[in-house]
Amino acid sequence: MYKKLFSFIAFFVFLIANAQQSSTINVRTSKAQIDDFMDQRFGLFIHWGPVSLRGTEIGWSRSHQVNQVEYDSLYKEFNPVLFNADNWVKTAKNAGVKYLTITAKHHDGFCLWPSATNNYTIQYTPFKKDIVGALAMACKKQGIKFCVYFTVLDWHDENYPIHNNGKDTNGNMVEFVKTMKKQIQEIISNYHPYMLWFDGNWEKPWTQEIGIDMYNYIKKLDPKVVINNRLGKGTHKTMSEASVGDYATPEQEIGSFNLKDPWESCITICNQWSWKPNDPMKSLKTCIQTLASTAGGNGNLLFNIGPMSDGRIEQRQITRLKEMGDWLKIYGESIYGTRAGPFKPDSILASTRKRNTIYLQLFKMQSGDLKIPVIPGLKILKANFIKGDAVPFEQTNNNVVFDLPKKFPNATCSVLAIEFNADVTTVSILEKLK
Ligand code: JFZ
C-alpha cells in the first residue's frame, strides 16, 4: 500500500520537475562568477563581417542601404588578408581592457567561424581562416578573457520566419532552435567563451520559453559561462524577475547607478557598430569620462570598434584605445575590481571604492574647495592625487573640505584617492556638498 502510494507521489514529483524544466531556469551562473565578471570593468566589443566591404551598418543595412542579394554575396569577396588576431588582441591589451567580445554571428546570419550548420560562413570566403578561433587563441595567449556575441535572430536562415526583405514566412522555429543549439555547442566546445552576449531577442519568433530553454542548455554545456540579459524577452536596460541572463545591457548610454544588479553598457567609439569611413570618433576626454562614469555607476563598459574589410583596425582608433590604456596604467586601481560610490556620478566627478579607499575621478579642473560629509565612525588618514601631490583637507564636525590645487596632475581626468582608517565599501550613498 505504502509502496504504491510512494510510487504514485514519485510519479507526480517527476511530472512537476519535468514540466518546470521548460519554464524555469535550473542552474544560474554563480554569484562568484558574476562578481568576477564585474571586477573586469572594461571590455572591447568588435563588430565585424563582410559588410565592412561596404561600410554600412552590420545587419541593419541588409535590404536597406545595401540590396539584399548584394549584401548576401559580400562574403564571396571578403578577404581580410591583413587580419592578425595577435595584433587585435595586443590593441585590446594596450587599451587596458580585460575581455574581448566578437560578433560571431550578427543579424545578417554570417558566421565568423566555420560552423558545420551552414554554408554562409568564413570557410566559404576567399579568406577561409577561422576568425573566432584565431581570436580565442590569441586572447588565451595574451591573458584576455574571450567572449562571443551571438544574435538569436537570423534574417538569412530560411527557418527563421522574418527576413527583413519584405518576404516573411511561417519559418520553422523548432528547426531554427536546433540549428542555433548546434552553433552554440560549437562555440562553447571549440572556443570556451568566458561570456556569451546575446542579442535580437525583441523579434516576435523568439519567446521567453525558448530563451529559458536555451539558458538551461548553455548551463549544461558550461555552468560557468556568463550570459547577458538578452536571452529572454523584455527590456535590456535593467534586470527584473523575468530576466533570462545574468546582467543588464544598456546600449549607447551609461547605465544608471545600481549597487544591486550587475550591468554592462555597450557604447561605440564612433557612431556605427561596424566600420564606416570617416565615422566621427569620441574624444579621449569623453572616452575616459564614459569609462569612469560607468565604473562610478557600478557597471562595466563594453567599448565597441569596427575593423576594416582588409582586417586592420583604423590607426586613429588604435591610438585612442592606447590613450585610454595609458590612462588606465596610472589610474586603473580606481577602476578595476572596484565598486561604485559612495557618491553618484555627475558631470563633475565619479566615485569608486576598494577596501579603505574612496577614489574620486575628477572631470573638471576646479581649484578651490571640494566638500564632502564626514562619514560617521571613519577617519581620513590621507588624501592624495594618484601620481601626484597630497591634497590638504580640513575636517569639521560635519564636513571634510579638500583644498584642490590650481593645476591637476592630469588635464583629462585626475583621480583623488582618499584613504580611511577602515573599510568603506559598505558606506551608504552620500550627497556631495555644495
Ligand atoms: C543591437 C544590435 O541590433 C546592434 O546592431 C548592435 O549589435 C547592438 C550591440 O545591439 O542593438 C539594437 C537593439 C535593439 C534595437 C536596435 C538596435 N531595437 O529594438 O530597435
Side-chain angles (χ1 to χ4, degrees):
M1 163 70 185
Y2 276 119
K3 217 170 156 190
K4 233 184 190 164
L5 186 65
F6 178 77
S7 52
F8 190 71
I9 292 169
F11 176 69
F12 272 98
V13 169
F14 170 83
L15 273 189
I16 291 163
N18 273 287
Q20 276 195 340
Q21 215 159 48
S22 60
S23 57
T24 59
I25 293 174
N26 302 327
V27 179
R28 280 176 195 276
T29 310
S30 70
K31 184 174 180 304
Q33 194 66 10
I34 297 171
D35 286 348
D36 182 74
F37 170 61
M38 294 312 297
D39 279 342
Q40 311 305 314
R41 280 294 183 250
F42 188 27
L44 185 68
F45 213 172
I46 304 180
H47 275 67
W48 202 39
V51 70
S52 57
L53 285 159
R54 287 294 174 274
T56 56
E57 187 59 295
I58 190 166
W60 296 100
S61 65
R62 180 183 186 264
S63 311
H64 293 98
Q65 289 83 352
V66 184
N67 164 283
Q68 187 221 308
V69 175
E70 184 189 334
Y71 191 110
D72 292 352
S73 305
L74 288 172
Y75 76 104
K76 293 177 191 163
E77 48 174 313
F78 187 50
N79 195 11
V81 289
L82 299 178
F83 169 73
N84 181 314
D86 287 320
N87 286 350
W88 280 20
V89 176
K90 195 164 146 247
T91 295
K93 196 138 181 143
N94 288 339
V97 304
K98 301 294 184 188
Y99 60 104
L100 178 154
T101 309
I102 179 75
T103 51
K105 190 174 91 163
H106 205 268
H107 310 332
D108 58 25
F110 180 78
C111 299
L112 273 179
W113 83 102
S115 174
T117 60
N118 69 84
N119 295 342
Y120 190 44
T121 76
I122 192 70
Q123 198 180 343
Y124 296 90
T125 67
F127 188 64
K128 293 194 178 72
K129 283 170 248 163
D130 179 0
I131 286 167
V132 177
L135 285 171
M137 221 143 71
C139 280
K140 194 168 180 192
K141 207 158 72 187
Q142 298 188 49
I144 297 282
K145 291 180 161 62
F146 179 71
C147 312
V148 165
Y149 166 106
F150 188 103
T151 181
V152 303
L153 69 79
D154 186 331
W155 293 325
H156 186 270
D157 189 312
E158 56 182 31
N159 286 321
Y160 188 75
I162 296 173
H163 299 281
N164 88 320
N165 58 2
K167 292 195 200 101
D168 294 349
T169 58
N170 288 327
N172 185 338
M173 279 304 278
V174 174
E175 280 306 311
F176 178 74
V177 168
K178 265 192 208 160
T179 304
M180 179 177 160
K181 282 186 172 171
K182 181 80 186 41
Q183 294 176 346
I184 292 294
Q185 185 260 319
E186 289 175 346
I187 287 169
I188 289 179
S189 58
N190 293 332
Y191 314 120
H192 311 287
Y194 172 81
M195 176 269 276
L196 288 173
W197 209 102
F198 286 102
D199 196 15
N201 56 340
W202 57 84
E203 283 198 339
K204 211 171 160 213
W206 191 257
T207 65
Q208 179 78 352
E209 289 66 39
I210 302 177
I212 290 169
D213 179 55
M214 198 60 75
Y215 189 96
N216 288 334
Y217 174 75
I218 294 164
K219 287 285 128 183
K220 264 192 216 153
L221 294 173
D222 179 2
K224 278 186 108 173
V225 65
V226 176
I227 301 172
N228 76 340
N229 73 339
R230 300 193 183 186
L231 201 48
K233 301 301 273 189
T235 174
H236 309 146
K237 216 171 151 172
T238 50
M239 293 296 280
S240 77
E241 277 297 300
S243 292
V244 182
D246 307 326
Y247 69 90
T249 51
E251 180 174 323
Q252 293 292 37
E253 62 176 340
I254 298 166
S256 319
F257 185 95
N258 189 335
L259 293 176
K260 186 169 105 342
D261 302 316
W263 59 269
E264 175 205 59
S265 277
C266 53
I267 295 177
T268 49
I269 194 168
C270 296
N271 288 327
Q272 195 166 274
W273 291 102
S274 54
W275 179 74
K276 178 180 173 174
N278 303 312
D279 202 3
M281 187 172 69
K282 292 183 173 73
S283 70
L284 177 62
K285 190 172 173 67
T286 300
C287 292
I288 289 174
Q289 194 163 333
T290 300
L291 176 62
S293 302
T294 304
N298 213 40
N300 286 6
L301 175 65
L302 185 58
F303 204 48
N304 180 79
I305 59 163
M308 295 181 285
S309 63
D310 63 6
R312 290 175 305 153
I313 299 165
E314 278 188 5
Q315 186 53 53
R316 62 175 182 148
Q317 296 185 15
I318 295 177
T319 303
R320 180 67 82 247
L321 290 171
K322 168 81 164 55
E323 290 167 339
M324 293 178 83
D326 289 345
W327 185 85
L328 277 163
K329 268 195 193 130
I330 301 170
Y331 305 102
E333 65 164 283
S334 81
I335 301 289
Y336 306 121
T338 60
R339 289 299 174 258
F343 305 100
K344 290 187 179 177
D346 58 23
S347 62
I348 304 203
L349 59 79
S351 87
T352 57
R353 46 187 156 166
K354 204 183 329 188
R355 294 184 285 274
N356 293 9
T357 304
I358 291 175
Y359 298 99
L360 302 181
Q361 290 87 6
L362 304 171
F363 302 142
K364 296 208 166 105
M365 279 221 240
Q366 280 180 335
S367 63
D369 292 351
L370 174 74
K371 210 193 261 182
I372 66 168
V374 163
I375 304 174
L378 289 180
K379 196 171 164 275
I380 297 177
L381 301 182
K382 65 174 183 193
N384 229 92
F385 274 119
I386 294 182
K387 278 275 164 66
D389 295 332
V391 173
F393 60 92
E394 217 168 286
Q395 187 159 338
T396 63
N397 277 346
N398 301 318
N399 307 325
V400 187
V401 181
F402 296 93
D403 180 15
L404 297 176
K406 275 218 175 62
K407 203 169 174 307
F408 286 14
N410 188 310
T412 314
C413 179
S414 298
V415 180
L416 180 61
I418 310 167
E419 195 193 317
F420 290 79
N421 63 336
D423 190 284
V424 291
T425 53
T426 55
V427 170
S428 41
I429 300 313
L430 301 171
E431 295 295 329
K432 217 172 14 131
L433 303 171
K434 214 172 54 164

